Amino acid sequence: MPQYAGFLRSQSDSHDHLGPDEAQRVLESYIAWADERTKEGRFVGGGLSRGGRVLRGTGGEVGATDGPHTEATEIVGGYQVIEAVDLDQAEKIFATHPHLKFGPIEVRKIGERGCED
């Protein structure tokens, strides 16, 4: 079955207003969503560490800086991969994700080149 990634995007400060208890409940709702997709046989995996590196090519040289994009106002805070019949079904599944309270989810098919679903 085709796989689709949902990139969880948000403003860099979208969760700052949450107190510790509320932040824990949000995290638990994300985990519960993934657990439900696992029970359905759809969840493949996901997640990102808080840190990383950003590579930029300039004048034939590649430079690296600590990331993610600290200067960006909108960042990819994580991703999750599911299996779905097509993009329409993947959209319906990701439409139930609790992250939508904080920002958009970009859904893309994995493993194909070009403009297909």
Side-chain angles (χ1 to χ4, degrees):
M1 185 174 298
Q3 295 181 347
Y4 293 84
F7 297 96
L8 311 181
R9 299 184 345 205
S10 60
Q11 301 298 313
S12 58
D13 62 353
S14 66
H15 290 75
D16 288 354
H17 68 283
L18 301 176
D21 291 340
E22 191 174 5
Q24 182 64 34
R25 285 192 298 276
V26 168
L27 175 61
E28 289 170 0
S29 72
Y30 283 36
I31 293 168
W33 185 90
D35 287 347
E36 284 299 312
R37 303 301 76 78
T38 299
K39 288 176 190 171
E40 296 168 356
R42 294 190 181 284
F43 190 72
V44 176
L48 292 173
S49 66
R50 290 192 180 269
R53 297 217 172 99
V54 178
L55 304 179
R56 289 185 175 84
T58 307
E61 299 288 323
V62 176
T65 57
D66 288 337
H69 313 277
T70 55
E71 71 280 357
T73 57
E74 185 175 87
I75 59 170
V76 174
Y79 75 96
Q80 295 185 315
V81 178
I82 63 167
E83 291 184 336
V85 173
D86 57 21
L87 182 59
D88 291 335
Q89 184 182 43
E91 177 186 341
K92 288 177 185 170
I93 293 167
F94 278 113
T96 66
H97 200 289
H99 176 76
L100 289 170
K101 295 176 187 170
F102 301 99
I105 299 175
E106 179 181 342
V107 181
R108 292 196 187 187
K109 189 172 187 178
I110 296 175
E112 284 192 1
R113 296 180 184 190
C115 298
E116 300 88 23
D117 281 348

